Amino acid sequence: MKVLVIEDNPEIQEAVSLTFELNWPDAKVLAALEGSAGITKAETESPDMIILDLGLPDMEGFKVLKEIRGFSDIPVIILTVRKDEIDKVRGLELGADDYIVKPFNHMELLARVRAVLRRSHIPELKGTDMPFVTQSLTIDFAARTVVKLGKQVRLTPTEFNLLQYLVRNEGKVLSHHALLAKVWGEEYTDATEYLKVYIQRLRDKLEDDPANPRLILSERGVGYKFTKPD
Ligand code: CA
């Protein structure tokens, strides 16, 4: 397992390295002290996971995230001193997988890393996971590809897992709790803000009109339902 830590504070770099050294000896930690160097290493070193600081000397962490998402779906955990809910949602909207606020507890960091890696693992295919096909959309669960109007749509592993779970249960209302437990893990069942952002991300990528969704419907106060349009 290779972890890229994009963080300008050498003490935090060291703390993260030490956390892995002590608890996860197989993990190799790569450091980048600036955003631009981080983007380069994300591309050339193909890490399994990125831990990204938001306050970097050469560019905003959000911009780094956006650039990385332009070429890779690699899991990204944002590490920051900012506590604002707005930053958290913005990070998730830009494609971060999770968020840790400094000063962080080392066990929390490891738990988040494990949860994010677990989520990026591909769930087993069921015999019933036939490709989902409509006039404009094809979702192939075996190949894990989505094609909309002839064009490939890129989904992060968590986006794909959420979509797969929704499609598997087509026509059924799935509760917020059930979706969070199934896709993110039991420790995330209260994190409804994740679900909200990811549902929006899926709608933006898949719906013809994301403001008037026809595939992923909200059941107010309950959850979401995937439906096949006529
Ligand atoms: Ca910083």
Side-chain angles (χ1 to χ4, degrees):
M1 221 266 294
K2 220 194 248 183
V3 188
L4 171 62
V5 184
I6 308 175
E7 158 73 73
D8 59 317
N9 184 330
E11 281 171 30
I12 294 173
Q13 278 283 2
E14 209 184 319
V16 174
S17 295
L18 201 63
T19 300
F20 279 99
E21 226 171 89
L22 295 175
N23 302 284
W24 202 323
D26 293 342
K28 186 180 172 203
V29 179
L30 305 169
L33 297 167
E34 292 194 337
S36 52
I39 294 166
T40 306
K41 284 193 178 171
E43 214 166 357
T44 55
E45 300 275 353
S46 358
D48 300 290
M49 140 109 31
I50 293 175
I51 295 173
L52 172 67
D53 178 30
L54 284 185
L56 293 163
D58 59 332
M59 61 201 287
E60 269 249 294
F62 288 127
K63 186 151 186 269
V64 176
L65 175 60
K66 220 172 163 179
E67 295 218 1
I68 290 173
R69 277 290 169 264
F71 62 82
S72 167
D73 301 326
I74 176 178
V76 174
I77 297 179
I78 287 179
L79 186 60
T80 178
V81 285
R82 302 179 201 184
K83 286 191 210 72
D84 291 356
E85 200 65 13
I86 272 206
D87 279 338
K88 183 169 174 173
V89 169
R90 192 171 164 210
L92 293 173
E93 281 171 354
L94 286 175
D97 295 86
D98 212 334
Y99 197 101
I100 302 176
V101 175
K102 292 186 267 194
F104 60 91
N105 169 304
H106 295 176
M107 286 302 132
E108 187 197 351
L109 172 68
L110 289 171
R112 297 271 169 156
V113 168
R114 284 202 182 94
V116 166
L117 284 177
R118 188 187 62 220
R119 290 206 292 276
S120 66
H121 280 154
I122 297 167
E124 257 178 65
L125 205 62
K126 285 187 182 169
T128 48
D129 284 336
M130 300 298 288
F132 174 88
V133 183
T134 69
Q135 234 174 4
S136 57
L137 192 67
T138 302
I139 307 166
D140 183 334
F141 296 104
R144 285 179 76 82
T145 54
V146 177
V147 175
K148 191 188 170 199
L149 299 169
K151 265 195 180 158
Q152 179 126 0
V153 179
R154 287 198 31 197
L155 297 186
T156 68
T158 303
E159 286 168 3
F160 198 93
N161 293 347
L162 175 61
L163 178 65
Q164 184 163 355
Y165 188 56
L166 284 163
V167 176
R168 256 182 197 173
N169 293 283
E170 189 195 323
K172 266 190 245 167
V173 179
L174 300 169
S175 70
H176 299 137
H177 186 282
L179 285 163
L180 285 161
K182 185 76 189 174
V183 178
W184 278 265
E186 286 295 340
E187 64 272 43
Y188 286 83
T189 49
D190 293 327
T192 45
E193 73 274 18
Y194 286 74
L195 187 56
K196 211 174 151 195
V197 169
Y198 272 76
I199 290 285
Q200 192 55 49
R201 272 158 59 175
L202 283 179
R203 282 176 174 157
D204 288 341
K205 291 181 180 183
L206 305 179
E207 299 277 0
D208 293 332
D209 177 7
N212 291 297
R214 296 182 63 212
L215 294 168
I216 303 171
L217 308 182
S218 303
E219 293 284 328
R220 195 172 281 278
V222 185
Y224 297 95
K225 175 170 79 172
F226 188 88
T227 57
K228 193 170 181 168
D230 309 321

